[in-house]
Amino acid sequence: MGTSVDDAAAAEFHEFFEAHYAELARLAHLLTGEADAADDLAADALLALWHRWDRVRNADHPVAYARGVVANLARTRIRSAVRERRRIALFWAPRGGADGYAVDGPDVSAVVDVQGALRRLPFRKRACVVLRHAFDLSERDTSLVLGISVGTVKSQTSRAVAELQRLLGPDTPAAHVQVAVAAQRTGGSQ
């Protein structure tokens, strides 16, 4: 009798996997900016969901829960990458600065594609704008995914759009930024 329950849970999970894997991989890609890592993060998230499937399948919003797991895994990956880059930069940093190896700041005017601009946003702003505009989630659903208040979603999304406008150029209206981010939903690029 226990196997029929396990078989039913496995079948439900398989349906969930089939229905949401691609979406979770796109979310991971947009949050990290790494196409290669997106599949791994989505797979890791789904593995974590499988281990807690009895709780996840009874949750009010299992897809929101899954998106939250992807967002947390992406945040961890980004933090690890930042720490690694800092270690490398400290190790290879020129001593004294007079040797001609000074590194200029980022060339913001050269950042014209949306994915490049998204990668420059802090994680929470990036997550809010991606979930709101690329995944077309409501403010409430975005707050559920990220575990933050609706007011924080509103302010972070607004600030993210303003920052993307700045990164993409002063003549880029907010509506064009939102459309460009939404185009990422299907994997299209700006």
Side-chain angles (χ1 to χ4, degrees), residues 114 133 173-185 190:
V114 173
H133 298 295
H176 289 161
V177 170
Q178 292 168 356
V179 168
V181 173
Q184 302 300 312
R185 181 179 320 149
Q190 187 60 24

Side-chain angles (χ1 to χ4, degrees), residues 135-158:
F135 282 81
D136 205 22
L137 293 185
S138 68
E139 291 164 344
R140 182 181 173 280
D141 289 343
T142 301
S143 74
L144 285 171
V145 168
L146 298 176
I148 57 178
S149 72
V150 171
T152 301
V153 169
K154 289 178 182 181
S155 66
Q156 292 293 295
T157 303
S158 174

Side-chain angles (χ1 to χ4, degrees), residues 50-72:
W50 171 244
H51 289 297
R52 293 183 223 117
W53 188 243
D54 57 329
R55 279 188 294 175
V56 174
R57 72 196 251 205
N58 294 320
D60 289 337
H61 305 285
V63 176
Y65 186 88
R67 289 174 180 147
V69 172
V70 169
N72 287 332

